[in-house]
Amino acid sequence: MQITDRAMKSLRAPKHGNLIFWDDDIAGFGARITAAGAVAFILNYRINGRQRRHTIARWPAWTADAARDEAKDLWKDIRRGIDPQESRERQRTEPTVAELAADYLERHAQPYKRPGSIRNDLMMLKNQILPRLGRHRVNAVTRRDVQALHSSLRKIPYHANRVLSLLHMMFSLAIGWGWCKENPATGVERFREEKRETWLSETQLHALSAALDAYPDQEAADALRLLILTGARMSEVLLAEWTHFDLKRGVWTKPSHHTKQKKIEHVPLNRAALSILADLAENRRSDYLFPGAKSASRVTLRRPWIQVLKAAGLA
């Protein structure tokens, strides 16, 4: 038969299974109708010694003329050794962004990043990246997709830029794993980040000191005092060990696996910091300055810090 839209309307569904009507002009091109009445255009062909059947599209979503043109184009590919069915099957098994995220966490973040950084990555994946891009195939994500996600976060520019950095890292790994050829996060312009600085007056400093003195958990208060007096990062203070300190010389030697730059740092300690450390040393009960933080599943001083700021009138 000549496969046309008019001919499609005249097809009658079989009682069981399906029937295929072949086109007189194009080899292997046909229309299949199932017992349920669903009609689709197909192409039968042989490649690499294998007999294959490729479903082109359903009718009437595609017209017969459109399916006919597609069949002609598919034959051109087949003659060049390209198997259209194999290409479709490969596309169906190509990894999604959600799968990339899982591999990124397992193969990169967990072995090489700190717990706090991993928590930030999980938050960005859960709240921004996966809801928008999770179902996309990795090699189908475009720069426009990434730019649209980044632009949607323009009201929180600092966070938007961190999301962009995470995507860039994930797709860089995907390139190395052979999942895609280009990084769609490359070339997306970052938002300008305004740095915030706050200088406390003498009155505010006294209020902060009084709030720390009155805080119920003095171990947390001491950790906050050391943060203020040394400028260290929270994880560096909470995971500090007594072997890192030379109280006689007044030096804190931070190991490379604690510092952001992955380098050993030698930090001179002022009198106030040394006084706090001396008091802690008198009551030492562990190899760590703050053993409670080491055993906790989430190392953080966020709640004590907010409570102290509120008590000092600085929230």
Side-chain angles (χ1 to χ4, degrees):
M1 63 180 294
Q2 183 78 18
I3 292 181
T4 63
D5 285 321
R6 183 176 180 180
M8 295 301 98
K9 295 177 182 178
S10 65
L11 296 182
R12 295 292 178 264
K15 292 182 178 180
H16 305 286
N18 59 74
L19 285 177
I20 297 176
F21 300 87
W22 301 105
D23 185 73
D24 290 335
D25 296 333
I26 302 175
F29 177 52
R32 179 183 61 209
I33 183 169
T34 68
V39 179
F41 302 105
I42 62 170
L43 182 69
N44 268 23
Y45 60 95
R46 180 177 289 276
I47 188 169
N48 299 325
R50 299 174 64 191
Q51 187 70 33
R52 305 282 271 167
R53 174 170 295 173
H54 179 76
T55 300
I56 297 174
R58 286 198 172 194
W59 179 85
W62 276 43
T63 65
D65 287 341
R68 182 180 298 277
D69 291 340
E70 178 69 7
K72 292 177 181 177
D73 290 338
L74 288 172
W75 269 119
K76 293 178 183 177
D77 290 339
I78 293 165
R79 293 186 184 102
R80 294 199 301 268
I82 300 173
D83 186 343
Q85 187 62 18
E86 185 177 290
S87 299
R88 175 175 289 179
E89 291 169 356
R90 186 170 59 250
Q91 288 176 357
R92 287 174 179 169
T93 59
E94 284 175 350
T96 63
V97 173
E99 292 169 323
L100 172 59
D103 268 31
Y104 161 79
L105 291 170
E106 180 181 350
R107 300 169 63 180
H108 179 78
Q110 292 175 2
Y112 303 114
K113 301 187 77 173
R114 294 183 178 84
S117 297
I118 295 175
R119 285 197 298 272
N120 291 336
D121 289 350
L122 285 169
M123 179 183 67
M124 290 185 284
L125 288 167
K126 178 182 177 181
N127 296 336
Q128 282 88 35
I129 295 175
L130 294 183
R132 291 285 293 269
L133 301 175
R135 295 184 179 181
H136 287 51
R137 301 293 175 186
V138 170
N139 63 2
V141 177
T142 64
R143 183 183 298 178
R144 186 178 181 86
D145 294 328
V146 175
Q147 195 166 30
L149 172 57
H150 185 246
S151 297
S152 70
L153 303 172
R154 64 174 64 88
K155 292 183 179 180
I156 43 175
Y158 181 87
H159 186 72
N161 290 346
R162 302 293 81 73
V163 169
L164 181 60
S165 296
L166 177 55
L167 281 170
H168 194 279
M169 172 57 72
M170 288 169 54
F171 279 98
S172 293
L173 292 171
I175 292 173
W177 297 336
W179 290 8
C180 60
K181 295 182 178 179
E182 296 183 356
N183 192 325
T186 299
V188 178
E189 187 174 355
R190 295 171 178 268
F191 293 123
R192 182 177 177 181
E193 299 176 14
E194 298 292 343
K195 301 297 183 182
R196 295 180 298 174
E197 292 184 349
T198 300
W199 297 89
L200 299 185
S201 66
E202 187 174 349
T203 301
Q204 289 173 322
L205 285 171
H206 284 304
L208 180 59
S209 178
L212 286 168
D213 291 341
Y215 192 67
D217 184 352
Q218 279 301 295
E219 185 174 277
D222 281 336
L224 291 172
R225 292 185 183 102
L226 285 177
L227 283 175
I228 295 168
L229 294 169
T230 63
R233 299 168 68 238
M234 181 173 62
S235 60
E236 292 172 346
V237 167
L238 291 178
L239 299 179
E241 301 177 37
W242 283 110
T243 55
H244 301 161
F245 293 88
D246 187 336
L247 299 184
K248 291 183 179 179
R249 293 176 55 228
V251 176
W252 177 9
T253 301
K254 300 179 185 177
S256 59
H257 59 277
H258 280 189
T259 64
K260 188 173 184 178
Q261 301 302 325
K262 302 293 184 181
K263 295 180 180 179
I264 295 175
E265 294 181 8
H266 303 281
V267 180
L269 299 167
N270 56 34
R271 284 185 185 176
L274 286 170
S275 177
I276 293 170
L277 290 168
D279 291 339
L280 288 172
E282 288 183 6
N283 301 311
R284 175 178 171 177
R285 64 184 193 277
S286 169
D287 292 335
Y288 294 90
L289 270 66
F290 304 103
K294 176 61 180 176
S295 62
S297 59
R298 293 190 62 180
V299 179
T300 180
L301 287 170
R302 183 177 297 275
R303 182 182 294 275
W305 178 240
I306 292 174
Q307 291 172 340
V308 167
L309 288 180
K310 287 182 177 179
L314 300 174

